[in-house]
Coordinates of all heavy atoms in Angstrom, one line a residue:
M1 N -12.2 -42.8 11.4 CA -12.7 -41.8 10.5 C -12.1 -40.4 10.7 O -11.7 -39.7 9.8 CB -14.2 -41.7 10.7 CG -15.0 -42.5 9.6 SD -16.7 -42.2 9.7 CE -17.3 -43.8 9.0
A2 N -12.0 -40.1 12.0 CA -11.4 -38.8 12.4 C -10.0 -38.7 11.9 O -9.6 -37.7 11.4 CB -11.4 -38.6 13.8
T3 N -9.3 -39.8 12.0 CA -7.9 -39.7 11.5 C -7.8 -39.6 10.0 O -6.9 -38.9 9.5 CB -7.1 -41.0 12.0 OG1 -8.0 -42.1 12.1 CG2 -6.4 -40.8 13.3
D4 N -8.8 -40.2 9.4 CA -8.8 -40.2 7.9 C -9.0 -38.7 7.5 O -8.4 -38.3 6.5 CB -10.0 -41.0 7.4 CG -9.5 -42.0 6.4 OD1 -9.4 -41.7 5.2 OD2 -9.3 -43.1 6.9
Y5 N -9.7 -38.0 8.2 CA -10.0 -36.6 7.9 C -8.7 -35.7 8.2 O -8.4 -34.8 7.5 CB -11.1 -36.0 8.7 CG -12.3 -35.6 7.9 CD1 -13.2 -36.5 7.4 CD2 -12.4 -34.2 7.6 CE1 -14.3 -36.1 6.6 CE2 -13.5 -33.8 6.8 CZ -14.4 -34.7 6.3 OH -15.4 -34.3 5.6
D6 N -8.1 -36.0 9.3 CA -7.0 -35.2 9.8 C -5.8 -35.3 8.9 O -5.1 -34.3 8.6 CB -6.6 -35.6 11.2 CG -7.3 -34.7 12.2 OD1 -8.2 -34.1 11.8 OD2 -6.9 -34.7 13.4
A7 N -5.5 -36.5 8.4 CA -4.3 -36.7 7.6 C -4.2 -35.8 6.4 O -3.2 -35.1 6.3 CB -4.2 -38.2 7.3
P8 N -5.1 -35.8 5.5 CA -5.0 -34.9 4.3 C -5.0 -33.4 4.7 O -4.3 -32.6 4.1 CB -6.3 -35.2 3.5 CG -7.2 -36.0 4.5 CD -6.3 -36.6 5.5
R9 N -5.7 -33.0 5.8 CA -5.7 -31.7 6.2 C -4.3 -31.2 6.5 O -3.8 -30.1 6.1 CB -6.6 -31.5 7.4 CG -7.9 -30.9 7.1 CD -8.5 -30.4 8.3 NE -9.9 -29.9 8.0 CZ -10.7 -29.4 8.9 NH1 -10.3 -29.4 10.2 NH2 -11.9 -28.9 8.6
K10 N -3.6 -32.0 7.3 CA -2.2 -31.6 7.7 C -1.3 -31.4 6.5 O -0.6 -30.5 6.4 CB -1.7 -32.7 8.6 CG -1.9 -32.4 10.1 CD -1.1 -33.5 10.9 CE -1.4 -33.2 12.4 NZ -0.9 -34.3 13.3
N11 N -1.5 -32.3 5.6 CA -0.7 -32.2 4.4 C -1.0 -30.9 3.6 O 0.0 -30.2 3.2 CB -1.0 -33.4 3.4 CG -0.2 -34.6 3.8 OD1 0.8 -34.5 4.5 ND2 -0.6 -35.8 3.3
E12 N -2.2 -30.5 3.6 CA -2.5 -29.3 2.9 C -1.9 -28.1 3.5 O -1.3 -27.2 2.9 CB -4.1 -29.1 2.9 CG -4.7 -29.4 1.5 CD -6.2 -29.2 1.5 OE1 -6.6 -28.1 1.8 OE2 -6.9 -30.2 1.3
D13 N -2.0 -28.1 4.8 CA -1.4 -27.0 5.6 C 0.1 -26.9 5.3 O 0.6 -25.8 5.0 CB -1.6 -27.2 7.1 CG -2.9 -26.7 7.5 OD1 -3.6 -26.1 6.6 OD2 -3.3 -26.8 8.7
E14 N 0.7 -28.0 5.4 CA 2.2 -28.0 5.1 C 2.5 -27.5 3.7 O 3.4 -26.7 3.5 CB 2.7 -29.4 5.3 CG 3.2 -29.6 6.7 CD 3.7 -31.1 6.9 OE1 4.3 -31.7 6.0 OE2 3.4 -31.6 8.0
Q15 N 1.7 -27.9 2.8 CA 1.9 -27.6 1.4 C 1.8 -26.1 1.2 O 2.7 -25.4 0.6 CB 1.0 -28.3 0.5 CG 1.6 -29.6 -0.1 CD 0.6 -30.3 -1.0 OE1 -0.5 -29.7 -1.3 NE2 1.0 -31.4 -1.4
S16 N 0.7 -25.5 1.7 CA 0.5 -24.0 1.6 C 1.7 -23.2 2.2 O 2.1 -22.2 1.8 CB -0.8 -23.6 2.1 OG -0.9 -23.8 3.4
E17 N 2.0 -23.7 3.4 CA 3.1 -23.0 4.1 C 4.4 -23.1 3.2 O 5.1 -22.1 3.1 CB 3.4 -23.7 5.4 CG 2.9 -22.9 6.6 CD 3.1 -23.6 7.9 OE1 4.2 -23.9 8.2 OE2 2.1 -23.8 8.6
E18 N 4.6 -24.2 2.7 CA 5.8 -24.4 1.9 C 5.8 -23.4 0.7 O 6.8 -22.7 0.4 CB 5.9 -25.8 1.3 CG 7.1 -26.6 2.0 CD 7.1 -28.0 1.5 OE1 7.1 -28.2 0.3 OE2 7.0 -28.9 2.4
S19 N 4.7 -23.3 0.0 CA 4.6 -22.5 -1.2 C 4.8 -21.0 -0.8 O 5.4 -20.2 -1.5 CB 3.2 -22.7 -1.9 OG 2.2 -22.3 -1.0
I20 N 4.3 -20.6 0.4 CA 4.5 -19.2 0.8 C 6.0 -19.0 1.1 O 6.6 -18.0 0.6 CB 3.7 -19.0 2.1 CG1 2.2 -18.9 1.8 CG2 4.2 -17.7 2.8 CD1 1.4 -18.8 3.0
E21 N 6.6 -19.9 1.7 CA 8.1 -19.8 1.9 C 8.8 -19.7 0.6 O 9.7 -18.9 0.4 CB 8.6 -21.0 2.7 CG 8.2 -21.0 4.2 CD 8.7 -19.8 4.9 OE1 9.9 -19.4 4.7 OE2 7.9 -19.1 5.6
E22 N 8.3 -20.5 -0.3 CA 8.9 -20.5 -1.7 C 8.8 -19.1 -2.3 O 9.7 -18.6 -2.9 CB 8.2 -21.6 -2.5 CG 9.2 -22.3 -3.4 CD 8.5 -23.5 -4.1 OE1 8.3 -24.6 -3.6 OE2 8.1 -23.2 -5.2
L23 N 7.6 -18.6 -2.2 CA 7.3 -17.3 -2.8 C 8.2 -16.2 -2.2 O 8.8 -15.4 -2.9 CB 5.9 -16.9 -2.6 CG 4.9 -17.5 -3.7 CD1 3.5 -17.2 -3.3 CD2 5.2 -16.8 -5.1
K24 N 8.3 -16.3 -0.9 CA 9.2 -15.3 -0.2 C 10.6 -15.4 -0.7 O 11.2 -14.4 -1.0 CB 9.1 -15.6 1.3 CG 7.9 -15.0 2.0 CD 8.1 -15.2 3.5 CE 6.8 -14.8 4.2 NZ 6.8 -15.2 5.6
A25 N 11.1 -16.7 -0.8 CA 12.4 -16.9 -1.2 C 12.6 -16.3 -2.6 O 13.6 -15.7 -3.0 CB 12.8 -18.4 -1.2
R26 N 11.6 -16.6 -3.5 CA 11.8 -16.1 -4.9 C 11.8 -14.6 -4.9 O 12.5 -14.0 -5.7 CB 10.5 -16.6 -5.7 CG 10.8 -17.9 -6.3 CD 9.7 -18.2 -7.3 NE 9.4 -19.7 -7.3 CZ 8.3 -20.2 -7.7 NH1 7.4 -19.4 -8.2 NH2 8.0 -21.4 -7.7
R27 N 11.0 -14.0 -4.1 CA 10.9 -12.5 -4.0 C 12.3 -12.0 -3.6 O 12.8 -11.0 -4.2 CB 9.9 -12.1 -3.0 CG 9.1 -10.9 -3.6 CD 8.0 -10.5 -2.5 NE 8.0 -9.1 -2.5 CZ 7.4 -8.4 -1.5 NH1 6.8 -9.1 -0.5 NH2 7.3 -7.2 -1.5
H28 N 12.9 -12.6 -2.7 CA 14.2 -12.2 -2.3 C 15.2 -12.3 -3.4 O 16.0 -11.4 -3.7 CB 14.7 -13.1 -1.1 CG 14.5 -12.4 0.2 ND1 15.4 -11.5 0.7 CD2 13.5 -12.6 1.1 CE1 14.9 -11.1 1.9 NE2 13.8 -11.7 2.2
D29 N 15.1 -13.4 -4.2 CA 16.0 -13.5 -5.3 C 15.8 -12.4 -6.3 O 16.8 -11.8 -6.8 CB 15.7 -14.9 -6.0 CG 16.4 -16.0 -5.3 OD1 17.2 -15.7 -4.3 OD2 16.2 -17.2 -5.7
K30 N 14.6 -12.1 -6.6 CA 14.3 -11.0 -7.5 C 14.9 -9.7 -7.0 O 15.5 -9.0 -7.8 CB 12.8 -10.8 -7.6 CG 12.2 -11.6 -8.9 CD 10.8 -11.1 -9.1 CE 10.2 -11.9 -10.3 NZ 8.8 -11.5 -10.6
N31 N 14.6 -9.4 -5.8 CA 15.1 -8.1 -5.2 C 16.6 -8.0 -5.3 O 17.1 -6.9 -5.6 CB 14.7 -8.0 -3.7 CG 13.2 -7.8 -3.6 OD1 12.5 -7.6 -4.6 ND2 12.7 -7.9 -2.4
S32 N 17.3 -9.0 -5.1 CA 18.7 -8.9 -5.0 C 19.3 -8.6 -6.4 O 20.3 -7.9 -6.5 CB 19.4 -10.2 -4.4 OG 19.0 -11.3 -5.2
G33 N 18.6 -9.0 -7.4 CA 19.3 -8.9 -8.8 C 18.7 -7.8 -9.6 O 19.2 -7.5 -10.7
K34 N 17.5 -7.2 -9.2 CA 16.9 -6.3 -10.2 C 16.5 -5.0 -9.6 O 16.8 -4.7 -8.4 CB 15.6 -7.0 -10.7 CG 15.9 -8.1 -11.6 CD 14.6 -8.7 -12.2 CE 14.9 -9.9 -13.1 NZ 13.6 -10.4 -13.7
V35 N 15.9 -4.1 -10.5 CA 15.7 -2.7 -10.0 C 14.4 -2.6 -9.2 O 13.6 -3.6 -9.1 CB 15.6 -1.8 -11.3 CG1 16.9 -1.1 -11.5 CG2 15.2 -2.6 -12.5
D36 N 14.1 -1.4 -8.7 CA 13.0 -1.2 -7.8 C 11.7 -1.5 -8.5 O 10.7 -2.0 -7.9 CB 13.0 0.2 -7.4 CG 14.0 0.4 -6.2 OD1 14.5 -0.6 -5.8 OD2 14.2 1.5 -5.8
E37 N 11.6 -1.2 -9.8 CA 10.3 -1.4 -10.5 C 9.8 -2.9 -10.4 O 8.7 -3.1 -10.2 CB 10.5 -1.0 -12.0 CG 10.2 0.4 -12.2 CD 10.3 0.8 -13.7 OE1 10.4 -0.1 -14.5 OE2 10.3 2.0 -13.9
D38 N 10.8 -3.7 -10.5 CA 10.4 -5.2 -10.4 C 9.9 -5.5 -9.1 O 9.0 -6.3 -8.9 CB 11.6 -6.0 -10.8 CG 11.8 -6.2 -12.3 OD1 10.8 -5.8 -13.0 OD2 12.8 -6.6 -12.7
E39 N 10.5 -4.8 -8.1 CA 10.1 -5.1 -6.7 C 8.6 -4.7 -6.5 O 7.9 -5.4 -5.9 CB 11.0 -4.4 -5.7 CG 10.8 -4.9 -4.3 CD 11.4 -3.9 -3.3 OE1 12.1 -3.0 -3.7 OE2 11.0 -4.0 -2.1
T40 N 8.3 -3.6 -7.1 CA 6.9 -3.1 -7.0 C 6.0 -4.1 -7.7 O 4.9 -4.4 -7.2 CB 6.8 -1.7 -7.7 OG1 7.8 -0.9 -7.3 CG2 5.5 -1.1 -7.3
E41 N 6.4 -4.5 -8.8 CA 5.5 -5.5 -9.5 C 5.3 -6.8 -8.7 O 4.2 -7.3 -8.6 CB 6.2 -5.8 -10.9 CG 5.6 -5.0 -12.0 CD 6.2 -5.3 -13.3 OE1 6.7 -6.5 -13.5 OE2 6.3 -4.5 -14.2
A42 N 6.4 -7.2 -8.2 CA 6.3 -8.4 -7.4 C 5.4 -8.2 -6.2 O 4.6 -9.1 -5.9 CB 7.7 -8.8 -6.9
A43 N 5.5 -7.1 -5.6 CA 4.7 -6.8 -4.4 C 3.2 -6.7 -4.8 O 2.3 -7.2 -4.1 CB 5.1 -5.4 -3.8
E44 N 2.9 -6.2 -6.0 CA 1.5 -6.1 -6.4 C 1.0 -7.5 -6.7 O -0.1 -7.7 -6.3 CB 1.5 -5.3 -7.7 CG 1.3 -3.8 -7.4 CD 1.4 -2.9 -8.6 OE1 1.4 -3.5 -9.7 OE2 1.5 -1.7 -8.5
S45 N 1.7 -8.3 -7.4 CA 1.2 -9.6 -7.7 C 1.1 -10.4 -6.4 O 0.4 -11.4 -6.3 CB 2.1 -10.3 -8.7 OG 3.4 -10.4 -8.2
F46 N 1.8 -10.0 -5.4 CA 1.8 -10.7 -4.1 C 0.6 -10.4 -3.3 O 0.2 -11.1 -2.4 CB 3.1 -10.3 -3.3 CG 3.6 -11.4 -2.5 CD1 4.3 -12.5 -3.1 CD2 3.4 -11.4 -1.1 CE1 4.7 -13.5 -2.3 CE2 3.9 -12.4 -0.3 CZ 4.5 -13.5 -0.9
E47 N 0.0 -9.2 -3.5 CA -1.1 -8.8 -2.7 C -2.4 -9.5 -3.0 O -2.6 -9.9 -4.1 CB -1.3 -7.3 -3.0 CG -0.6 -6.4 -2.0 CD -0.7 -4.9 -2.4 OE1 -1.5 -4.6 -3.2 OE2 0.1 -4.2 -1.9
L48 N -3.2 -9.6 -1.9 CA -4.5 -10.2 -2.1 C -5.5 -9.3 -2.8 O -5.3 -8.1 -2.8 CB -5.1 -10.6 -0.7 CG -4.2 -11.5 0.1 CD1 -4.6 -11.6 1.5 CD2 -4.2 -12.9 -0.5
P49 N -6.5 -9.9 -3.4 CA -7.5 -9.1 -4.2 C -8.2 -8.0 -3.4 O -8.5 -7.0 -3.9 CB -8.5 -10.1 -4.6 CG -7.9 -11.4 -4.6 CD -6.8 -11.3 -3.5
G50 N -8.3 -8.2 -2.1 CA -9.0 -7.2 -1.2 C -8.1 -6.0 -0.9 O -8.6 -5.1 -0.3
A51 N -6.8 -6.1 -1.2 CA -5.9 -5.1 -0.7 C -5.8 -3.8 -1.7 O -4.9 -3.1 -1.6 CB -4.5 -5.6 -0.6
D52 N -6.8 -3.7 -2.5 CA -6.8 -2.6 -3.5 C -6.9 -1.2 -2.9 O -6.5 -0.2 -3.5 CB -8.0 -2.7 -4.4 CG -7.5 -3.3 -5.8 OD1 -6.3 -3.6 -5.9 OD2 -8.4 -3.4 -6.7
L53 N -7.3 -1.1 -1.6 CA -7.5 0.2 -1.0 C -6.2 1.0 -0.9 O -6.1 2.1 -1.2 CB -8.1 0.0 0.4 CG -9.6 0.2 0.5 CD1 -10.1 -0.1 1.9 CD2 -9.9 1.7 0.1
S54 N -5.1 0.3 -0.5 CA -3.8 0.9 -0.4 C -3.4 1.6 -1.7 O -2.8 2.6 -1.8 CB -2.8 0.0 0.1 OG -2.6 -1.0 -0.9
H55 N -3.8 0.9 -2.8 CA -3.5 1.4 -4.1 C -4.2 2.8 -4.3 O -3.6 3.7 -4.9 CB -4.0 0.4 -5.1 CG -3.1 0.2 -6.3 ND1 -2.0 -0.6 -6.1 CD2 -3.1 0.6 -7.5 CE1 -1.3 -0.6 -7.3 NE2 -2.0 0.1 -8.1
E56 N -5.5 2.8 -4.0 CA -6.2 4.1 -4.2 C -5.7 5.2 -3.4 O -5.6 6.3 -3.8 CB -7.7 3.9 -3.9 CG -8.4 3.3 -5.1 CD -9.9 3.1 -4.8 OE1 -10.5 3.9 -4.1 OE2 -10.5 2.1 -5.4
E57 N -5.3 4.9 -2.2 CA -4.7 5.9 -1.3 C -3.4 6.5 -1.9 O -3.2 7.7 -1.9 CB -4.3 5.3 0.0 CG -5.3 5.6 1.1 CD -5.0 4.9 2.4 OE1 -4.0 4.3 2.5 OE2 -5.8 5.1 3.4
L58 N -2.7 5.6 -2.5 CA -1.5 6.1 -3.2 C -1.8 7.0 -4.4 O -1.3 8.1 -4.5 CB -0.7 4.9 -3.8 CG 0.7 5.1 -3.9 CD1 1.4 5.0 -2.6 CD2 1.3 4.0 -4.8
A59 N -2.9 6.7 -5.1 CA -3.3 7.5 -6.2 C -3.8 8.9 -5.7 O -3.5 9.9 -6.4 CB -4.4 6.8 -7.0
V60 N -4.4 8.9 -4.6 CA -4.9 10.2 -4.1 C -3.7 11.1 -3.7 O -3.8 12.3 -4.0 CB -5.8 9.9 -2.8 CG1 -6.0 11.2 -2.1 CG2 -7.1 9.3 -3.2
E61 N -2.7 10.5 -3.2 CA -1.6 11.3 -2.8 C -0.8 11.9 -4.1 O -0.3 12.9 -4.0 CB -0.6 10.4 -2.0 CG -0.9 10.5 -0.5 CD 0.1 9.7 0.2 OE1 0.2 8.5 0.0 OE2 0.9 10.3 1.0
V62 N -0.9 11.1 -5.1 CA -0.1 11.5 -6.3 C -0.8 12.5 -7.2 O -0.3 13.3 -7.9 CB 0.3 10.3 -7.1 CG1 0.9 10.6 -8.5 CG2 1.2 9.4 -6.3
K63 N -2.2 12.4 -7.2 CA -2.9 13.2 -8.1 C -2.7 14.7 -7.9 O -2.4 15.2 -6.7 CB -4.4 12.9 -7.9 CG -5.1 13.6 -6.7 CD -6.5 13.2 -6.6 CE -7.1 13.9 -5.4 NZ -8.5 13.4 -5.2
P64 N -2.8 15.6 -8.9 CA -2.6 17.0 -8.8 C -3.6 17.7 -7.9 O -4.6 17.2 -7.6 CB -2.7 17.5 -10.3 CG -3.5 16.4 -11.0 CD -3.2 15.1 -10.3
K65 N -3.2 19.0 -7.6 CA -4.0 19.7 -6.7 C -5.5 19.9 -7.3 O -5.6 20.2 -8.5 CB -3.4 21.1 -6.5 CG -3.8 21.8 -5.3 CD -3.0 23.0 -5.0 CE -3.1 24.0 -6.2 NZ -2.6 25.3 -5.8
Q66 N -6.5 19.8 -6.4 CA -7.8 19.9 -6.8 C -8.4 21.4 -6.5 O -7.7 22.1 -5.8 CB -8.7 18.9 -6.1 CG -8.3 17.5 -6.4 CD -8.5 17.1 -7.8 OE1 -9.6 17.1 -8.3 NE2 -7.4 16.8 -8.5
E67 N -9.5 21.6 -7.1 CA -10.1 23.0 -6.9 C -10.3 23.3 -5.5 O -10.1 24.5 -5.1 CB -11.5 23.0 -7.6 CG -11.4 23.0 -9.2 CD -11.1 24.3 -9.7 OE1 -11.5 25.3 -9.1 OE2 -10.5 24.4 -10.8
D68 N -10.7 22.4 -4.7 CA -11.0 22.6 -3.3 C -9.8 22.4 -2.4 O -10.0 22.2 -1.2 CB -12.2 21.8 -2.8 CG -12.0 20.3 -3.0 OD1 -11.0 20.0 -3.6 OD2 -12.7 19.5 -2.5
E69 N -8.7 22.5 -3.0 CA -7.4 22.3 -2.2 C -6.5 23.5 -2.4 O -6.6 24.2 -3.4 CB -6.7 21.0 -2.6 CG -7.5 19.8 -2.2 CD -6.8 18.5 -2.7 OE1 -6.1 18.6 -3.7 OE2 -7.0 17.5 -2.1
F70 N -5.6 23.6 -1.5 CA -4.6 24.7 -1.6 C -3.3 24.3 -1.2 O -3.2 23.3 -0.4 CB -5.1 26.0 -0.9 CG -5.0 25.8 0.6 CD1 -3.9 26.3 1.3 CD2 -5.9 25.1 1.3 CE1 -3.7 26.1 2.7 CE2 -5.8 24.9 2.7 CZ -4.7 25.4 3.4
T71 N -2.2 25.0 -1.6 CA -0.9 24.6 -1.1 C -0.5 25.6 0.0 O -0.5 26.8 -0.3 CB 0.1 24.7 -2.3 OG1 -0.4 23.9 -3.3 CG2 1.5 24.2 -1.8
C72 N -0.2 25.2 1.1 CA 0.2 26.0 2.2 C 1.5 26.7 1.9 O 2.5 26.0 1.4 CB 0.3 25.2 3.5 SG 1.0 26.2 4.8
M73 N 1.6 28.0 2.0 CA 2.8 28.7 1.7 C 3.9 28.5 2.8 O 5.0 29.0 2.7 CB 2.5 30.2 1.5 CG 1.8 30.4 0.2 SD 2.9 29.8 -1.1 CE 1.8 29.7 -2.5
S74 N 3.5 27.9 3.9 CA 4.5 27.7 4.9 C 5.1 26.3 5.0 O 6.3 26.2 5.0 CB 3.8 28.0 6.3 OG 4.7 27.9 7.3
C75 N 4.2 25.3 4.9 CA 4.8 24.0 4.9 C 4.7 23.3 3.5 O 5.2 22.3 3.3 CB 4.0 23.1 5.9 SG 2.2 22.9 5.5
F76 N 4.1 24.0 2.6 CA 4.0 23.6 1.2 C 3.4 22.3 1.0 O 3.7 21.5 0.0 CB 5.5 23.6 0.6 CG 6.1 24.9 0.5 CD1 7.0 25.3 1.4 CD2 5.6 25.9 -0.4 CE1 7.6 26.5 1.4 CE2 6.2 27.1 -0.5 CZ 7.2 27.5 0.4
L77 N 2.5 21.9 1.9 CA 1.7 20.8 1.7 C 0.3 21.1 1.1 O -0.1 22.2 1.4 CB 1.4 20.1 3.1 CG 2.7 19.4 3.7 CD1 2.3 18.9 5.1 CD2 3.2 18.3 2.9
V78 N -0.3 20.2 0.4 CA -1.6 20.5 -0.2 C -2.7 20.1 0.8 O -2.6 18.9 1.3 CB -1.8 19.7 -1.5 CG1 -3.2 19.9 -2.0 CG2 -0.8 20.1 -2.5
H79 N -3.5 21.0 1.2 CA -4.5 20.8 2.2 C -5.9 21.0 1.5 O -6.0 21.7 0.5 CB -4.4 21.7 3.4 CG -3.1 21.5 4.1 ND1 -2.9 20.5 5.0 CD2 -2.0 22.3 4.2 CE1 -1.7 20.6 5.5 NE2 -1.1 21.7 5.0
H80 N -6.9 20.5 2.2 CA -8.3 20.8 1.8 C -8.6 22.2 2.3 O -8.0 22.7 3.2 CB -9.2 19.8 2.4 CG -10.6 19.9 1.8 ND1 -11.6 20.6 2.5 CD2 -11.2 19.5 0.7 CE1 -12.7 20.6 1.8 NE2 -12.5 19.8 0.7
R81 N -9.5 22.8 1.5 CA -9.8 24.3 1.9 C -10.3 24.5 3.3 O -10.1 25.5 3.9 CB -10.9 24.7 0.9 CG -10.4 25.1 -0.4 CD -11.2 26.2 -1.0 NE -10.5 26.9 -2.0 CZ -11.0 27.8 -2.8 NH1 -12.3 28.2 -2.7 NH2 -10.2 28.4 -3.7
S82 N -10.9 23.4 3.8 CA -11.3 23.5 5.2 C -10.2 23.7 6.2 O -10.3 24.1 7.3 CB -12.1 22.3 5.6 OG -11.3 21.1 5.5
Q83 N -9.0 23.4 5.7 CA -7.8 23.6 6.5 C -7.1 25.0 6.3 O -6.1 25.3 7.0 CB -6.8 22.5 6.1 CG -7.2 21.1 6.5 CD -7.3 20.9 8.0 OE1 -8.3 20.9 8.6 NE2 -6.1 20.8 8.6
L84 N -7.7 25.8 5.5 CA -7.2 27.1 5.2 C -7.4 28.0 6.3 O -8.6 28.4 6.7 CB -7.7 27.6 3.9 CG -7.2 29.0 3.4 CD1 -5.7 28.8 3.1 CD2 -8.0 29.4 2.2
A85 N -6.4 28.5 7.0 CA -6.6 29.4 8.2 C -6.5 30.8 7.7 O -7.2 31.7 8.3 CB -5.5 29.1 9.2
D86 N -5.6 31.1 6.7 CA -5.4 32.5 6.3 C -5.4 32.6 4.8 O -4.4 32.2 4.2 CB -4.1 33.0 6.9 CG -4.0 34.5 6.7 OD1 -4.5 35.0 5.6 OD2 -3.5 35.2 7.6
A87 N -6.5 33.0 4.2 CA -6.7 33.0 2.7 C -5.7 33.9 2.1 O -5.3 33.7 0.9 CB -8.1 33.4 2.4
K88 N -5.3 35.0 2.7 CA -4.3 36.0 2.1 C -2.9 35.4 2.1 O -2.2 35.4 1.1 CB -4.3 37.3 2.9 CG -5.4 38.2 2.5 CD -5.3 39.5 3.3 CE -6.6 40.3 3.1 NZ -6.6 41.5 4.0
K89 N -2.5 34.8 3.1 CA -1.2 34.2 3.2 C -1.1 32.8 2.7 O -0.1 32.3 2.6 CB -0.7 34.3 4.7 CG -0.5 35.7 5.2 CD -0.1 35.6 6.7 CE 0.1 37.0 7.2 NZ 0.3 37.0 8.7
M90 N -2.3 32.2 2.5 CA -2.4 30.8 2.1 C -1.7 29.9 3.1 O -0.7 29.2 2.7 CB -1.8 30.7 0.7 CG -2.6 31.4 -0.3 SD -4.3 30.8 -0.5 CE -4.0 29.3 -1.4
I91 N -2.1 30.0 4.3 CA -1.5 29.2 5.4 C -2.5 28.3 6.0 O -3.6 28.6 6.2 CB -0.8 30.1 6.4 CG1 0.4 30.7 5.9 CG2 -0.6 29.3 7.7 CD1 1.0 31.8 6.8
C92 N -2.1 27.0 6.2 CA -3.0 26.0 6.8 C -3.1 26.2 8.3 O -2.3 27.0 8.9 CB -2.5 24.6 6.4 SG -1.0 24.1 7.4
R93 N -4.1 25.5 8.8 CA -4.3 25.6 10.2 C -3.1 25.2 11.0 O -2.8 25.8 12.1 CB -5.5 24.7 10.6 CG -6.8 25.4 10.2 CD -8.0 24.5 10.7 NE -9.2 25.0 10.1 CZ -10.4 24.5 10.5 NH1 -10.4 23.4 11.3 NH2 -11.5 24.9 10.0
D94 N -2.4 24.2 10.6 CA -1.3 23.7 11.3 C -0.2 24.8 11.5 O 0.3 25.0 12.6 CB -0.7 22.5 10.6 CG -1.5 21.3 10.8 OD1 -2.3 21.3 11.7 OD2 -1.2 20.3 10.2
C95 N 0.0 25.5 10.4 CA 1.0 26.6 10.5 C 0.6 27.8 11.1 O 1.3 28.5 11.7 CB 1.5 26.9 9.0 SG 2.3 25.5 8.2
A96 N -0.7 28.1 11.1 CA -1.2 29.3 11.7 C -1.3 29.1 13.2 O -1.2 30.1 14.0 CB -2.6 29.6 11.2
A97 N -1.4 27.9 13.7 CA -1.6 27.7 15.1 C -0.3 28.0 15.8 O 0.8 27.9 15.3 CB -1.9 26.2 15.4
Ligands
LIG101 ZN1 1.1 24.6 6.5

């Protein structure tokens, strides 16, 4: 009975491994022949449903400056107001230190 159970399981494992290898190989093919946009698309479709967080992080970085943010005049990075060390010079804590 035990062997009966083991046999199909092994096959399943091998199959899923194979399909992953196949996907990887296909991705490589795509990358070699096409532009970056396609690579991004391929990567997105490759990601698991739970990986959406990285997507949101990216959106946060890209979004325009918010009311409670400022651009440091020294390093030109956008910081939260709590990081503002000198309101006149508009310098962040990192640069003021
Ligand atoms: Zn700065």
